[in-house]
Amino acid sequence: MIKIWQEQLFSIPHAYSVNERFLEMMKIFFETFPCRIMQLFQYSSFNGTFSGILSYEHPNVQSIAYIHEMMAINSYVHAAVEDNEVQFFTGSKFQTSIGNQFVLSEPIHNMLLVPFSMNGVVVGFMTGVNVQFQVTDDVLIEMRSFSDSCIHMLHTMDLGKTAQFTDKELIIMQYISNGYTTKEISHILHIVESTVKYFLKNVMQKTNSQNRTEAVAKLFRMKILQ
């Protein structure tokens, strides 16, 4: 399953606008983890506020013009975002926290929350309301991988314009900068570990670096990673 959505994410055309990329990202999530309604939000860790970007209720999409007060102040939502954790909310306590006022076009029986972070800082999150599948711990772990891959996809689309490095090299270095091992990267990208090390070696040579730490530091200074 990981291989399918990974390939789909990185096949999104580079020419797409940011919002078009967001929409494609939401569609891929919907196909992999079907939910009745999905919403994408931007988050500011500076003051703990968030604003709406897109709402997707298959097959319809629209900009989020406002955020319902019950959503904005919900303690479950804020705790999950602040902790930077993928969460699945269900049960009477969560429904009581929502109250009788519904954010969306149908009652909220359960909700997924998937944060998006860069270098450990949450920059946004996505919610999936009324899931259509069984949520397990393994599924939540995969959703975290999906989240990380989305950030890499959005970032490397712009980085890919840097001719000095290939898309694959930039993707791998982004993972390395976030603390992934070559073995973990090989599992995520479904390539053998020796291939990951090959691309890493190429980047080290191109940046005249003695090790991966030095290579990552130079890529940050070059503003290729962030």
Side-chain angles (χ1 to χ4, degrees):
M1 184 180 292
I2 291 180
K3 184 177 180 180
I4 295 174
W5 59 252
Q6 187 89 30
E7 291 177 349
Q8 290 174 329
L9 281 176
F10 286 97
S11 66
I12 296 175
H14 283 56
Y16 276 15
S17 67
V18 173
N19 273 4
E20 286 174 327
R21 297 175 193 176
F22 285 156
L23 177 57
E24 291 303 311
M25 181 179 76
M26 294 175 77
K27 287 180 178 178
I28 294 169
F29 187 92
F30 172 82
E31 292 172 359
T32 309
F33 313 104
C35 305
R36 289 283 298 161
I37 306 170
M38 297 172 55
Q39 289 189 315
L40 181 65
F41 300 89
Q42 182 176 341
Y43 177 76
S44 171
S45 59
F46 178 74
N47 55 12
T49 60
F50 54 87
S51 56
I53 301 177
L54 291 175
S55 177
Y56 181 67
E57 187 171 357
H58 182 74
N60 302 313
V61 61
Q62 63 181 7
S63 296
I64 302 177
Y66 68 95
I67 299 175
H68 197 288
E69 181 182 0
M70 296 299 291
M71 180 70 166
I73 66 175
N74 186 270
S75 60
Y76 285 82
V77 171
H78 276 284
V81 174
E82 289 177 359
D83 293 340
N84 190 17
E85 292 184 355
V86 177
Q87 294 280 1
F88 177 58
F89 307 126
T90 188
S92 58
K93 288 186 178 180
F94 170 67
Q95 292 179 0
T96 299
S97 75
I98 294 294
N100 294 324
Q101 302 178 42
F102 299 111
V103 180
L104 306 174
S105 60
E106 63 181 63
I108 299 177
H109 300 297
N110 55 62
M111 186 173 76
L112 286 164
L113 189 145
V114 182
F116 298 99
S117 60
M118 296 184 66
N119 300 320
V121 178
V122 177
V123 295
F125 64 94
M126 184 164 57
T127 59
V129 171
N130 298 339
V131 303
Q132 307 294 298
F133 60 97
Q134 183 177 2
V135 179
T136 65
D137 289 342
D138 287 341
V139 169
L140 295 179
I141 292 172
E142 185 174 354
M143 287 181 182
R144 167 55 70 182
S145 295
F146 183 95
S147 169
D148 292 340
S149 294
C150 285
I151 289 295
H152 298 326
M153 176 273 295
L154 292 169
H155 189 45
T156 54
M157 277 189 169
D158 294 326
L159 298 183
K161 298 174 184 177
T162 306
Q164 183 179 0
F165 304 98
T166 67
D167 285 349
K168 187 70 73 174
E169 289 170 349
L170 293 172
I171 292 169
I172 287 172
M173 294 308 297
Q174 188 70 54
Y175 276 113
I176 288 175
S177 73
N178 283 334
Y180 287 85
T181 65
T182 53
K183 185 175 181 179
E184 290 170 335
I185 296 171
S186 70
H187 176 73
I188 292 171
L189 298 182
H190 282 262
I191 56 179
V192 296
E193 187 177 6
S194 60
T195 301
V196 176
K197 291 181 177 180
Y198 168 79
F199 286 115
L200 172 58
K201 182 179 179 181
N202 285 349
V203 175
M204 289 169 56
Q205 290 175 340
K206 291 178 180 180
T207 57
N208 192 27
S209 301
Q210 297 299 313
N211 52 55
R212 69 184 66 183
T213 301
E214 184 181 357
V216 167
K218 288 183 176 179
L219 291 175
F220 272 106
R221 287 198 296 270
M222 295 165 66
K223 299 188 182 301
I224 292 177
L225 295 181
Q226 63 180 21

